[in-house]
Amino acid sequence: MSLFKAREWWSTSVGEEEEFDQGCLCVADVDNSGSGYDKVIVGSYMGFLRIYSPHPAKAGDEMKAEDLLLEVQLRNSILQVEVGKFVSGTELLHLAVLHPRKLCVYSVSGTLGNIEHGNQYQIKLMYEHNLQRTACNMTYGPFGGVKGRDLICIQSMDGMLMFFEQESYAFGRFLPGFLLPGPLSYSCRTDAFITVSSCRQVESYKYQALAVATDADTRQEAEQQKLGSGKRLVADWVVSIGEQALDICIVSFGQAASSVFVLGERNFFCLKENGQIRFMKKLEYNPSCFRPYASVSEGTVNTLIGNHNNMMFIYQDVTLKWAAQLPYTPVTVHVATFQDLKGVLVSLSDTGYLQCSYLGTDPMLFQAPKVDSREVNYDELDIEMKKLRKIIKQTEKSQDLLPRARKEDDLTVIAAVSSNLDPVSQATDSEAGDEHVPSVTVKITVKTRILVQNVKLSVSVQPPLAVTQDQFIFKSIEPAACQFATFAVFLKGNCSPAELTGDAAVTYSSPTELNPEGIPQVAQCKFSLPLKLVCSPAQPSKNANYKITIDTNKPPVNLTSLFPDFLSQTDEEQMNVVGFQLIAGSRVTLLASKTSQRYRIQSEQFEDLWLITKELIQRFEKHFAVQGVKDFMCSFSGTIPLQEYFDMMDHHFELRLNGVKYQELLSERAVQFRAIQRRLLARFKDKTPASLQNLDVLLDGTYRQIISLADAVEENQRSLSKAFTRLKSATHLVITLIGLWQNLNKEQVAILESAFLPILQDMQELGWEESVDAAVSHLLRTCLSKSPKEQALNLTSHLSMPKDNSRMKKHITLLCDRLGKGGRLCLSSESNVQQAVIIPDSCSTIHESDQEEKVQKVIQVRGML
C-alpha cells in the first residue's frame, strides 16, 4: 500500500467495452507540428484509432471535446502503433499501424480552424503491405545504419521476421528453435534485434547475419537448408534468464551506456550490449508493464514498473525511489511532454482508461483552529444533560409510532411474467407427452442507484420446469441505468411440477474508495408462473379415483369469474364445473355446488390435485380481497388422505432401495471386472503360453453386465427424480389440507413445510425419509408432546436410511392425531405454558445503564460538531 497516489492531470475513458494491450499506446509529435509537444495515439483491438492532445485548464479536469484530435474506425484489429520516419523522400514522422494481416502507414495532418470548434485533423494512407502470415508485434529503426529513415521488422506468430524497407518488402527469416513469439526490440548501436525465445533465453541477432542468411518461404525449407548449403542463422549472443519475458526496451541516454532492459515475470534484468548482466532486481509482485527513461543522475537510468496491484514503482537502477497508487492496472506506460508540463506519465488499462499523471503530493491547506481554553461550568453541563436525557426518552417512546424512512436499495430486481403464453413455443428437448408444450416469457429488470460491476443474474426454477437461459452477465451498470434479461420457462420433464414459482438472484459488487474491486452483494426476487403453462382447458370428467372437498364461509362463486382463462362467459352449461388437462398428468375436474358453499376437486392421480387446489385457494383470496371481504376463510372437514400419501411414500422409498441395490451390484461387478483384467494381464505377460481358461468370455460377460447395470442406475435415477417431484406435490397437498382442517396460521403452516420438505432433492448421503422422520419426531417431542418425559428424550444425531417406512408412517399419523386433539405448532417447546405478553418496542423499558451510554454518545457527537 503506497502512501502517495499518482496525481491525475488528465484522464478519459477510451471507447466502450474495448480491449487494449501493450502495443496499443504511443506518444509522439505525430502531426509534425514542430512545437515539441507529444500527442497520445491509442489503438484498440476493436479497430478504433484515436489521437489525443491533453491540455486541461487545471489538473484533474475532465476531458474536453477538443482534446480528441482524431477518431477513426479501421477495418481490422490494431495490434500495435508506432511513429517514425517510415516514408521515403522525407524525414517527417508518420504513423505505422499493425493489423493481424496488414501493415499500414499513415500521415497525420491538421488544418487550422476558423471557428470555435478548433483545428481539424485527418489521416491519409501512404502505403500498406498485405502480410502472408499473422503478425504478433513489430519494431523499427535505422536497420543497417541507414540515415534519415526508419525500416520496419514484423514478427509473425510462426516465428518469421519480415523486413520492410518503407514501401517495399525486403526479405523474411525464420528464427531458429522457435515455438512461441516473444517481445522484440532493435538496438541501433549494435545493429541487432533482441528477443526472448520459448527457451527463456535472451537472444541477439545481427541485422547483417539476418540479411545474408539463406532465404526461405516456409519453415520446412529453412530446416532443409540447415542440412544443405547456405548460411545458417546463428545468434550473436544468448543469455538464459529462466523465465518468460513481458517486454524488452533498449535505451541509451546521454552519458549512460547502452543497455538492454528485460522485464520478466518475477525479475527485472539489465544487460550490456554484449549480453553480460549489468544488474538484476528481484520483484516481490507480478509486474504488468515497464518503461525506462532518462535519469538526472549520470550513469543511471530510471525505470517505471507497473504491477497488478495497481501500483507504479520508480527505480533508479535497482534502488526504489518512489511508489504511487493508480486507480487501475496499467498494461503500458510512456513518458511524454505536453504544454506547460514535462515528464508526464501516460498509462493505459486493458479496459481503456487513459490517464496522464504526475508524481508528488499536493500541499495540505487545512489548518486546525486554536482551541479556546475555558473553565468548565458543571451546573450548565448538568442542565444540558437533563435536556438530552429528556430528548432521548421522547425519541425512544415515539420511534415506532412515527413512520421510519426506508432506505432505498442500491440495486433492485423486478420480474415481470407475460400474461399470455408465447405464440411460438420456445420449449426445447421436452420429455412431456404432449406434442405442443407451451412456454411463457419472463422479463427481469435490474435497476441500480449506484455504479455496480461484475453483475451476474442467475435464474432457477424447480424441475421438471426449465428455462431457455439461466445465466446473464453484465460487465457493469451505470447509476440510474437499467438492464433487461428475457427468457422463457417451459415444462421439460414428464411430470407435473410441485411449484409454479421461480427465483432470480443477482450477484454484484459495489466499488468503494478503499476497495475498488467492490463489496460482493446479492439481490433477489421471486416470480409466479401461470397455471396455463402446465395445463389446458378440457372436458370435465364425472368419475375419478381421488376426491377432496373444500368448504368456504361465503356464498358460492361463479367459476367463470374465478377461471376466466379456462372458461368463457358464454359457457352457461359449465358455470359450475371446470376441466383441466395437465400436460404431463391426468385430467382434473373442479365442481362447485349450486346450493352449498362447497367445492370438489377430483382426479385420477392423487398428486395432480395439488396445483388446482392451490390455484383455487389463491384465486378465492384474490377475488374476495378485491371485494373488500376480510373474514373469508377456507376449511376442510373430510379425512386427511394419509393412506394415499403413504402409498406414494412407499413407491419413492422402493426406488431408493432399488438404487442402493443397483449400486452394490455395480460395485461388485466392477471389482470382478478388475480382477479378471489382472488375471488376463498376468497370462499375457507369462513367457510360457497357456490357455486363457475362458477368462476372455468371462471378461466380455462382466462388461455387458456393467453396462446394463449402469443403464439401470440411470433409469432408476430418472424414475426417482420423477417420484420425488410427485411426492412433493402430494406433501404440499397434505400440508394444505391439515392447515385448512385445523385453521393453522401462516407461521404454523411454515413449520409443517419445513418439517415435511426439508430438502429440495434426494441425495446419496441424505434422503427425504430420514430427514422427515427426524423433523416430525422433533415436533412430537417438543411442541406436540403430552408429558415432560417425551421432551426429555433426545434424537439421534446420525441420520441413516431406514429399513422401511413403518416408523415414519406411525409418526405422521400421531402428528395428525395430536393436531386433531388440540395440539398447536410453535417454535417453543413449552406449548402448554401460557405465553408471555409481548410488549411493543414503543413501551419497552430503557435500562439506566443503556440510557447513560446513549447520553454519553450524544455528548461525544455534540463535542465533535
Side-chain angles (χ1 to χ4, degrees):
M1 184 65 184
S2 173
L3 181 62
F4 306 111
K5 294 183 179 181
R7 315 306 301 183
E8 179 181 323
W9 182 67
W10 179 89
S11 66
T12 184
S13 181
V14 181
E16 294 182 0
E17 297 184 358
E18 298 184 36
E19 295 183 7
F20 304 84
D21 207 351
Q22 189 175 34
C24 296
L25 177 66
C26 180
V27 293
D29 187 15
V30 68
D31 60 341
N32 300 283
S33 63
S35 62
Y37 301 139
D38 293 328
K39 312 297 186 300
V40 180
I41 304 102
V42 181
S44 73
Y45 284 165
M46 304 305 170
F48 286 92
L49 178 67
R50 301 176 177 89
I51 301 178
Y52 296 91
S53 177
H55 51 279
K58 61 179 181 179
D61 281 356
E62 296 182 355
M63 186 198 81
K64 300 177 182 178
E66 54 267 24
D67 292 345
L68 179 60
L69 304 182
L70 179 68
E71 181 177 14
V72 61
Q73 183 176 9
L74 305 179
R75 294 183 178 179
N76 302 310
S77 301
I78 299 176
L79 302 181
Q80 190 172 346
V81 290
E82 297 291 349
V83 175
K85 303 173 184 179
F86 300 133
V87 178
S88 60
T90 177
E91 293 189 4
L92 295 178
L93 298 178
H94 289 77
L95 174 64
V97 179
L98 180 63
H99 301 289
R101 285 281 184 169
K102 185 181 293 186
L103 171 65
C104 300
V105 175
Y106 299 93
S107 67
V108 181
S109 59
T111 304
L112 293 177
N114 297 324
I115 56 177
E116 60 181 1
H117 296 298
N119 302 336
Q120 298 178 1
Y121 288 81
Q122 60 183 358
I123 61 172
K124 179 183 178 182
L125 179 64
M126 304 304 294
Y127 62 87
E128 65 179 18
H129 293 288
N130 293 318
L131 307 179
Q132 299 299 322
R133 288 174 169 80
T134 304
C136 176
N137 52 25
M138 69 175 176
T139 185
Y140 70 96
F143 305 161
V146 297
K147 302 295 183 180
R149 57 176 180 161
D150 292 325
L151 280 61
I152 299 176
C153 174
I154 299 176
Q155 181 180 206
S156 67
M157 295 297 292
D158 58 352
M160 185 178 186
L161 298 182
M162 297 173 284
F163 294 87
F164 296 89
E165 293 183 358
Q166 297 182 342
E167 290 87 349
S168 61
Y169 172 73
F171 59 90
R173 299 290 184 268
F174 280 101
L175 295 176
F178 180 86
L179 182 60
L180 293 174
L184 178 68
S185 186
Y186 172 74
S187 174
C188 58
R189 283 202 178 187
T190 59
D191 194 25
F193 295 88
I194 301 174
T195 183
V196 177
S197 67
S198 300
C199 300
R200 301 180 176 181
Q201 296 176 346
V202 182
E203 301 175 354
S204 174
Y205 296 93
K206 291 283 188 179
Y207 177 72
Q208 183 179 3
L210 290 167
V212 301
T214 304
D215 196 2
D217 293 332
T218 63
R219 179 168 294 279
Q220 288 77 10
E221 294 181 8
E223 296 296 334
Q224 292 175 3
Q225 289 168 359
K226 290 179 183 178
L227 303 177
S229 60
K231 186 76 173 179
R232 183 181 177 184
L233 182 60
V234 180
D236 184 36
W237 52 262
V238 176
V239 176
S240 177
I241 60 174
E243 60 182 315
Q244 295 294 337
L246 302 180
D247 198 3
I248 295 178
C249 285
I250 300 173
V251 296
S252 178
F253 301 116
Q255 301 298 327
S258 178
S259 302
V260 179
F261 288 86
V262 181
L263 179 65
E265 294 175 332
R266 301 295 294 181
N267 295 278
F268 170 55
F269 303 90
C270 178
L271 310 178
K272 295 181 181 180
E273 295 177 351
N274 57 1
Q276 296 180 359
I277 295 181
R278 176 167 290 161
F279 61 81
M280 184 186 76
K281 174 68 176 178
K282 182 175 178 59
L283 306 177
E284 300 299 331
Y285 48 81
N286 294 324
S288 61
C289 63
F290 87 131
R291 181 66 54 183
Y293 67 97
S295 173
V296 295
S297 302
E298 293 185 1
T300 61
V301 175
N302 289 355
T303 307
L304 298 166
I305 300 182
N307 65 8
H308 289 278
N309 295 329
N310 302 348
M311 297 288 297
M312 183 69 72
F313 294 96
I314 295 88
Y315 291 90
Q316 188 177 69
D317 289 346
V318 295
T319 305
L320 179 64
K321 291 295 185 180
W322 195 267
Q325 183 81 37
L326 293 174
Y328 54 86
T329 299
V331 294
T332 180
V333 61
H334 287 262
V335 180
T337 299
F338 297 117
Q339 188 175 1
D340 301 329
L341 191 62
K342 297 181 180 181
V344 179
L345 305 184
V346 183
S347 55
L348 178 68
S349 71
D350 59 348
T351 58
Y353 189 82
L354 178 65
Q355 177 177 308
C356 298
S357 55
Y358 59 92
L359 304 178
T361 59
D362 290 337
M364 178 62 70
L365 302 178
F366 173 77
Q367 293 182 356
K370 295 181 180 180
V371 180
D372 296 333
S373 58
R374 59 178 182 176
E375 296 182 358
V376 178
N377 191 333
Y378 292 99
D379 295 334
E380 293 181 356
L381 285 180
D382 290 339
I383 296 174
E384 185 178 359
M385 179 70 74
K386 290 179 181 180
K387 291 181 179 179
L388 292 175
R389 287 180 178 177
K390 187 177 180 180
I391 294 173
I392 293 174
K393 287 183 178 180
Q394 293 177 353
T395 305
E396 290 290 340
K397 289 181 180 180
S398 60
Q399 63 179 356
D400 288 333
L401 299 178
L402 299 176
R404 295 182 178 181
R406 181 180 179 273
K407 182 181 178 182
E408 187 180 357
D409 295 333
D410 294 336
L411 185 141
T412 56
V413 187
I414 303 173
V417 182
S418 177
S419 57
N420 299 320
L421 298 178
D422 296 335
V424 178
S425 177
Q426 302 183 38
T428 57
D429 301 331
S430 178
E431 302 173 0
D434 195 350
E435 295 182 358
H436 176 71
V437 177
S439 64
V440 65
T441 300
V442 181
K443 183 178 181 181
I444 305 295
T445 305
V446 182
K447 297 181 180 180
T448 177
R449 295 190 307 107
I450 60 175
L451 173 65
V452 294
Q453 56 191 14
N454 301 327
V455 183
K456 181 179 180 181
L457 169 63
S458 301
V459 182
S460 65
V461 292
Q462 293 297 323
L465 296 175
V467 295
T468 54
Q469 185 176 352
D470 59 351
Q471 287 188 355
F472 302 86
I473 298 177
F474 311 104
K475 193 171 184 181
S476 62
I477 304 179
E478 298 295 329
C482 296
Q483 288 287 352
F484 303 96
T486 304
F487 57 91
V489 185
F490 60 94
L491 181 64
K492 186 174 184 179
N494 192 17
C495 61
S496 299
E499 296 178 1
L500 286 175
T501 58
D503 296 305
V506 176
T507 60
Y508 63 96
S509 58
S510 54
T512 60
E513 184 178 355
L514 299 179
N515 186 7
E517 296 296 329
I519 302 172
Q521 299 183 38
V522 178
Q524 58 185 358
C525 74
K526 292 182 177 291
F527 55 89
S528 299
L529 301 171
L531 183 63
K532 294 186 295 183
L533 185 64
V534 295
C535 69
S536 58
Q539 290 295 328
S541 177
K542 296 182 179 180
N543 300 321
N545 295 332
Y546 304 99
K547 304 175 182 178
I548 60 173
T549 303
I550 305 295
D551 300 331
T552 63
N553 61 345
K554 297 298 176 184
V557 181
N558 191 351
L559 294 183
T560 56
S561 61
L562 286 179
F563 295 92
D565 47 348
F566 289 89
L567 284 176
S568 61
Q569 298 292 338
T570 59
D571 295 337
E572 297 181 357
E573 297 179 357
Q574 297 183 354
M575 294 179 60
N576 297 319
V577 59
V578 188
F580 306 90
Q581 178 61 54
L582 297 176
I583 296 176
S586 62
R587 182 171 299 181
V588 183
T589 303
L590 172 60
L591 300 168
S593 175
K594 297 180 181 180
T595 57
S596 61
Q597 305 162 0
R598 311 184 74 182
Y599 302 85
R600 174 177 292 178
I601 305 104
Q602 58 187 22
S603 176
E604 294 296 330
Q605 295 183 8
F606 178 69
E607 69 276 6
D608 290 343
L609 299 172
W610 158 240
L611 287 179
I612 308 303
T613 304
K614 178 184 178 183
E615 191 74 15
L616 176 64
I617 296 175
Q618 289 180 348
R619 297 200 180 196
F620 269 144
E621 294 174 350
K622 184 177 180 181
H623 174 77
F624 288 107
V626 171
Q627 295 182 357
V629 178
K630 297 183 179 180
D631 58 344
F632 169 75
M633 184 183 299
C634 291
S635 61
F636 177 73
S637 57
T639 304
I640 303 296
L642 291 180
Q643 186 57 46
E644 293 82 354
Y645 183 48
F646 292 159
D647 292 341
M648 301 197 67
M649 290 168 44
D650 292 337
H651 176 62
H652 176 264
F653 187 68
E654 181 182 357
L655 292 174
R656 286 191 64 193
L657 292 177
N658 292 339
V660 174
K661 293 178 182 178
Y662 285 139
Q663 291 288 349
E664 293 176 354
L665 289 174
L666 187 60
S667 177
E668 292 176 2
R669 293 298 181 271
V671 172
Q672 178 179 321
F673 187 76
R674 289 191 292 269
I676 298 172
Q677 283 182 322
R678 286 194 295 268
R679 290 287 184 90
L680 282 173
L681 185 61
R683 293 292 178 91
F684 291 148
K685 288 184 177 180
D686 194 356
K687 296 181 179 180
T688 304
S691 175
L692 296 179
Q693 296 180 352
N694 296 325
L695 284 176
D696 54 341
V697 179
L698 185 59
L699 182 70
D700 183 67
T702 306
Y703 173 75
R704 294 178 183 276
Q705 289 180 0
I706 289 176
I707 296 300
S708 300
L709 286 172
D711 293 339
V713 168
E714 291 182 355
E715 181 63 29
N716 185 81
Q717 187 63 36
R718 287 191 292 265
S719 301
L720 182 63
S721 177
K722 181 179 177 181
F724 184 68
T725 302
R726 297 174 59 192
L727 181 60
K728 285 199 296 185
S729 299
T731 303
H732 279 296
L733 178 61
V734 171
I735 292 174
T736 301
L737 295 180
I738 292 175
L740 298 178
W741 174 44
Q742 291 297 316
N743 192 20
L744 302 180
N745 55 32
K746 292 183 179 180
E747 289 77 9
Q748 294 171 332
V749 173
I751 294 175
L752 278 181
E753 289 179 349
S754 62
F756 281 87
L757 295 170
I759 57 177
L760 294 178
Q761 60 182 2
D762 278 325
M763 296 176 289
Q764 188 175 3
E765 299 83 7
L766 183 64
W768 181 81
E769 283 79 8
E770 52 266 32
S771 303
V772 172
D773 188 28
V776 173
S777 299
H778 177 74
L779 293 178
L780 293 175
R781 292 172 180 173
T782 53
C783 57
L784 296 179
S785 62
K786 287 187 175 181
S787 61
K789 268 187 185 180
E790 293 183 358
Q791 297 184 8
L793 297 176
N794 293 324
L795 291 173
T796 177
S797 59
H798 179 69
L799 298 181
S800 59
M801 184 175 176
K803 296 181 179 180
D804 53 40
N805 279 339
S806 58
R807 184 170 178 267
M808 184 174 62
K809 293 178 184 178
K810 179 182 176 182
H811 287 163
I812 293 177
T813 306
L814 186 59
L815 181 140
C816 295
D817 181 62
R818 291 189 180 179
L819 286 175
K821 292 181 179 179
R824 282 293 174 263
L825 295 169
C826 62
L827 296 178
S828 174
S829 60
E830 300 176 356
S831 58
N832 297 326
V833 181
Q834 184 179 3
Q835 297 183 2
V837 178
I838 301 177
I839 302 176
D841 293 341
S842 59
C843 302
S844 58
T845 306
I846 302 176
H847 297 285
E848 190 67 24
S849 59
D850 297 340
Q851 185 185 28
E852 292 292 339
E853 183 179 355
K854 293 178 182 178
V855 171
Q856 294 297 331
K857 290 182 179 179
V858 172
I859 295 176
Q860 292 177 4
V861 172
R862 176 182 173 275
M864 294 173 64
L865 296 176

